[in-house]
Amino acid sequence: MAKLNVLRNGSVRSTANGATFRRLTGIAARLRKGYSVEIAPYPSSSGKWLVRVVAPTRGSTQGMTTVDSYYEVIARNQAEAERFIKTDGLWGGALAERVSKTIGDMGEAHFVSRLRGAGIFDSIWGKQVRFTDVHQFQNASGHGVDAIARVAHAAPPPPPNVGDFVAFEIKSTLGVRGRPPSIGTSQKTPTPLDYVRGRLERAGGAPNYPNPSKADRRFLRAAIAAAHGGGAGFHLRKGEVVMDHAGNLSSAGGRPAIATKTW
């Protein structure tokens, strides 16, 4: 049996995130002796399930439960989440790698590397597009514009035109049976273009963003001007990344490892 990859989170009560956890049956024998797996929905976030691995009780705990680790599973319903946990997720540290920030960071790295290299096939334009001047503008909490780049070449043209800006919101999943999350409501409010333009303006001087270099400032000025021009020459895409449980790009299951959709 592969060793379960865990993080020590200390002792917590038997409820968390406002929900009471329910123990899953049928998998305890495959875990380390005495450990159990429990699942609960997030209180107000559909499509997400909070999973925890609970250590066996030793001695007096006074109503406390020792949790080895917390994980997040994104699924369409509880049955799908349970299937993943029981059949696909616990071995080789795979479930641990489904923690949303870890998945997002790995997916962004793959996507940005592709933008800086061979480019991507854009499903909306129906052609291969290469890019230059690839930037990421994110604050200390990791929020902002996942990636924005300028079009270097598209065959056959047009659209897009060389020099057009394309901003990407990147969503990733681990495991070929998974699906990348949807773009959040806040990232579409009041409109996706307004959202991106506002984040670019903050990146130019907000205190919780890194101080931009001269090259970054020039790029930001040009991108913001294009975004203020009614959207002409400024395009928005959702980037989707599918990885295997080791974090490598995977096209298994008939889906491309990297794809674009409308924001």
Side-chain angles (χ1 to χ4, degrees):
M1 181 180 73
K3 182 179 178 181
L4 188 67
N5 185 18
V6 298
L7 301 172
R8 180 67 61 181
N9 278 21
S11 295
V12 298
R13 295 189 181 277
S14 58
T15 60
N17 278 17
T20 300
F21 284 80
R22 183 176 65 83
R23 179 170 296 188
L24 298 181
T25 59
I27 59 174
R30 298 178 63 193
L31 286 171
R32 292 177 296 173
K33 185 176 180 180
Y35 281 68
S36 62
V37 176
E38 300 173 344
I39 183 173
Y42 280 85
S44 60
S45 181
S46 61
K48 292 185 179 180
W49 303 86
L50 189 65
V51 179
R52 66 183 186 179
V53 175
V54 180
T57 300
R58 294 186 176 92
S60 176
T61 60
Q62 297 180 337
M64 305 291 281
T65 300
T66 300
V67 175
D68 250 15
S69 44
Y70 279 112
Y71 310 116
E72 179 184 280
V73 172
I74 298 173
R76 286 169 290 192
N77 51 52
Q78 182 170 325
E80 183 179 272
E82 291 188 14
R83 279 198 302 275
F84 174 82
I85 295 165
K86 291 178 181 179
T87 64
D88 195 33
L90 287 172
W91 312 116
L95 183 58
E97 293 301 328
R98 285 186 72 91
V99 176
S100 57
K101 186 179 187 312
T102 301
I103 299 173
D105 290 346
M106 290 191 300
E108 281 186 22
H110 283 304
F111 197 92
V112 170
S113 176
R114 185 69 63 85
L115 292 179
R116 288 174 172 156
I120 58 174
F121 179 83
D122 183 85
S123 61
I124 292 88
W125 287 319
K127 63 185 72 174
Q128 185 75 14
V129 184
R130 289 192 290 106
F131 298 90
T132 186
D133 297 328
V134 181
H135 294 257
Q136 292 182 276
F137 296 108
Q138 297 173 328
N139 62 22
S141 300
H143 300 132
V145 179
D146 289 344
I148 180 170
R150 300 192 80 164
V151 174
H153 178 75
N161 296 308
V162 172
D164 282 0
F165 293 89
V166 186
F168 299 92
E169 177 67 20
I170 303 167
K171 300 295 184 180
S172 309
T173 190
L174 204 69
V176 297
R177 292 196 293 274
R179 58 173 185 160
S182 300
I183 290 181
T185 302
S186 64
Q187 295 159 315
K188 297 181 178 181
T189 306
T191 69
L193 181 59
D194 290 330
Y195 171 86
V196 173
R197 184 170 55 218
R199 293 306 183 275
L200 292 175
E201 290 170 347
R202 292 181 192 178
N208 61 335
Y209 279 82
N211 188 32
S213 65
K214 289 183 178 180
D216 286 340
R217 290 186 183 278
R218 287 194 298 269
F219 182 89
L220 279 168
R221 285 196 295 269
I224 292 169
H228 274 288
F234 197 101
H235 312 276
L236 302 173
R237 292 289 187 271
K238 176 191 179 188
E240 293 193 339
V241 181
V242 178
M243 297 171 285
D244 62 20
H245 287 151
N248 301 310
L249 291 175
S250 175
S251 58
R255 294 181 301 170
I258 288 180
T260 59
K261 292 186 176 181
T262 55
W263 186 305

